[in-house]
Amino acid sequence: MSPRQRLAPADRRAQLLAVGARFFATHPYADVLMEEVAEAAGVSRALLYRHFPSKQALFAAVYQQAADQLLAETRFDPADSLVEQLIQGLDVHLDYFIANRNAVLAANRVLAGDPLIQTIMTNELDALRARLLAVLPLADASAHDAVSAVLKSWLVFVQVLCVDWLTHETCTRTQVRDVCIGAVLGALRPLLAEDPAPDWPRQGPGTGASGPS
């Protein structure tokens, strides 16, 4: 191991998170070894454990950072149509899921019962639900609770569907995204003051909306 570069604690933590994120993205959770993370980061195992007392703690920190980044990159801009906003948000998440398949599967399968991981995911879904509620054309205040409940269930549906798709890839990326969009539009239409996407679906069956595949 090369001589360790001295870094401020915050910078060292950021470096270790970056290395950890790379390992969890490229290896199944069970194959990630803390000593290999330490070696790749150019630090001793003792120093790594000083920042993160276990592999589970390192993974949780990596996943929290990812959740924060996904929220920062997901923009619900009222200037865009609801479909455009949904496409942008889903594309951001699908890009991350595909690039970090092992980490996503670890969080949703291997560590599915871990309270901290579940809290991270729940907090992100709650934040996304609040943002969507803010841009939807609610008929009145009484519709708020019903729409909120639909969005909560839909976000869980998206999570489960995407995890299954990462495992089996039974359809294309664009089809996954458009299934998610169609599901929420169909569920919300009876509850909203106006149709949030009167032109959806815009193309024939199987062709999907425009966007990356």
Side-chain angles (χ1 to χ4, degrees), residues 7-82:
L7 295 174
D11 294 334
R12 179 64 71 192
R13 177 182 170 85
Q15 181 222 9
L16 294 174
L17 282 173
V19 175
R22 187 169 70 247
F23 269 78
F24 289 123
T26 55
H27 299 77
Y29 182 82
D31 293 346
V32 176
L33 302 177
M34 290 290 272
E35 53 264 36
E36 293 182 355
V37 174
E39 182 178 2
V43 302
S44 67
R45 281 183 291 175
L47 180 56
L48 174 59
Y49 280 109
R50 195 178 308 156
H51 285 271
F52 304 101
S54 66
K55 181 169 75 169
Q56 199 166 340
L58 175 60
F59 182 87
V62 166
Y63 216 71
Q64 179 66 70
Q65 185 179 67
D68 293 341
Q69 186 65 32
L70 287 170
L71 283 174
E73 293 178 2
T74 301
R75 303 181 305 275
F76 292 118
D77 187 345
D80 295 331
S81 70
L82 178 61

Side-chain angles (χ1 to χ4, degrees), residues 40-126:
V43 302
S44 67
R45 281 183 291 175
L47 180 56
L48 174 59
Y49 280 109
R50 195 178 308 156
H51 285 271
F52 304 101
S54 66
K55 181 169 75 169
Q56 199 166 340
L58 175 60
F59 182 87
V62 166
Y63 216 71
Q64 179 66 70
Q65 185 179 67
D68 293 341
Q69 186 65 32
L70 287 170
L71 283 174
E73 293 178 2
T74 301
R75 303 181 305 275
F76 292 118
D77 187 345
D80 295 331
S81 70
L82 178 61
V83 168
E84 288 171 332
Q85 294 175 73
L86 291 170
I87 286 174
Q88 192 274 334
L90 285 165
D91 278 343
V92 165
H93 282 74
L94 284 169
D95 286 347
Y96 174 80
F97 294 162
I98 292 168
N100 298 272
R101 181 187 308 266
N102 286 308
V104 174
L105 292 177
N108 288 274
R109 297 278 171 84
V110 182
L111 299 173
D114 181 84
L116 181 54
I117 300 301
Q118 289 304 309
T119 296
I120 292 169
M121 290 192 288
T122 298
N123 287 344
E124 191 207 352
L125 296 183
D126 285 347

